[in-house]
Amino acid sequence: MRSALDLRGLWVPLVTPFTPDDRVDHDALARLAHRLLADGADGLVALGTTGEPATLTADERRSVVATCAAVCDEHGKPIMVGCGTNATATTLAEVEAWSATPGVDALLVVTPYYTRPSEAAIVAHVQAAAAASTVPVVVYNIPYRTGRGLGAESLLTLAATPNVAGLKQAVGALDHDTLEQLRRAPEGFAVLAGDDAFAAPIALMGGAGAIAAAAHLATPAWAALVRAGLDGDAATASRLAARLLPIVDAGFAEPSPAGWKAALHALGEIATPAVRRPLTEADDDTVTRLLAELAAA
């Protein structure tokens, strides 16, 4: 297995821009990746939920990762690739393929969705993925998308599993299980906020940072918030969190990534606000509100 990866800091889960004729816009993707890293992001996530991987073809997914990996290599920053299915066999095939892909530094492995396995079965599933990967694995715990979540004891079991390096915790709250994970996780295990609104408290309470879609916008402020949290500077982290929360609320008013893509399009960073069906583009009121909150922040 490859050397341990420092997961601390701000990670941005990249949108996948599309051209007017519905192709992946690699030029826009590369420009956006360069800008995010220049603005303070510590790493990028390709094919996370925000990147709409479920609606990309296999060739498109490979090309998105290649574009993002090339930019990260130029900046000397890591790239994490989202993967995982609702079947262990196909998840292992994805894990083996992505971990063997040049330039990939870590895998974000989502808990199995739709089939609703037991917690013990999910733990075994992730452990199998970690054993199959040659790069560190980060568990993606997001029960409001998958239908199953992992409690503190299951997460702590995974935290003690070889090659499981971290957790993206997206449970919609700073709940007791998250607090237990922060309190009891072994040294070097990275707990990353997966819900943007909780980036500051998770960092201040011993977390490693955040994977934040809202950081497509006001990226330097997000990077400063995470740094302040990691440094224990509660006053700065709290001030920035209060400033950025309205952007989070406005951007997630519609299913992600519609709001973020609409704002990036309005700002001239991507050619279209297009998302692939079954998602639909953000409505005008959402875009107006999001741009107004960005200007205010």
Side-chain angles (χ1 to χ4, degrees), residues 184-269:
R184 296 167 56 194
E187 184 177 355
F189 184 81
V191 178
L192 295 157
D195 293 305
D196 301 8
F198 303 110
I202 283 182
L204 285 165
M205 297 185 71
I211 299 176
H216 280 90
L217 308 177
T219 311
W222 279 101
L225 180 155
V226 170
R227 283 195 301 271
L230 295 178
D231 291 343
D233 182 353
T236 299
S238 298
R239 174 176 57 80
L240 289 168
R243 214 169 97 193
L244 294 169
L245 182 60
I247 295 175
V248 175
D249 292 341
F252 284 112
E254 296 194 36
S256 184
W260 312 122
K261 293 182 101 171
L264 290 167
H265 171 64
L267 294 168
E269 292 205 59

Side-chain angles (χ1 to χ4, degrees), residues 13-18 32 48-56 145 213-214 216-217 250-265 270 272-283 286-287 290:
L14 278 163
V15 300
T16 302
F18 298 122
L32 180 59
T49 306
T50 314
E52 301 173 77
T55 61
L56 300 177
R145 283 189 180 272
H216 280 90
L217 308 177
F252 284 112
E254 296 194 36
S256 184
W260 312 122
K261 293 182 101 171
L264 290 167
H265 171 64
I270 60 177
T272 76
V275 290
R276 283 191 175 161
R277 296 298 181 103
L279 294 174
T280 54
E281 293 179 15
D283 66 33
T286 296
V287 180
L290 180 51

Side-chain angles (χ1 to χ4, degrees), residues 54-221:
T55 61
L56 300 177
T57 67
D59 285 344
E60 286 174 331
R61 290 194 293 272
R62 284 191 290 270
S63 65
V64 163
V65 170
T67 295
C68 295
V71 173
C72 286
D73 182 65
E74 187 173 335
H75 287 260
K77 298 291 186 180
I79 181 172
M80 188 185 306
V81 174
C83 66
T85 73
N86 60 343
T88 299
T90 50
T91 295
L92 294 182
E94 285 199 357
V95 164
E96 290 169 358
W98 287 123
S99 67
T101 300
V104 173
D105 298 294
L107 299 181
L108 181 65
V109 177
V110 70
T111 55
Y113 44 85
Y114 187 73
T115 48
R116 294 174 60 84
S118 67
E119 283 198 42
I122 296 172
V123 168
H125 172 92
V126 176
Q127 288 175 327
S133 178
T134 60
V135 299
V137 163
V138 176
V139 185
Y140 188 6
N141 187 34
I142 183 164
Y144 53 83
R145 283 189 180 272
T146 63
R148 278 286 190 231
L150 293 172
E153 297 306 321
S154 295
L155 291 170
L156 289 163
T157 297
L158 288 173
T161 297
N163 208 37
V164 178
L167 163 70
K168 180 182 178 183
Q169 181 75 330
V171 296
L174 189 61
D175 65 354
H176 188 270
D177 285 330
T178 304
L179 296 176
E180 279 293 291
Q181 184 72 11
L182 289 165
R183 183 175 75 89
R184 296 167 56 194
E187 184 177 355
F189 184 81
V191 178
L192 295 157
D195 293 305
D196 301 8
F198 303 110
I202 283 182
L204 285 165
M205 297 185 71
I211 299 176
H216 280 90
L217 308 177
T219 311

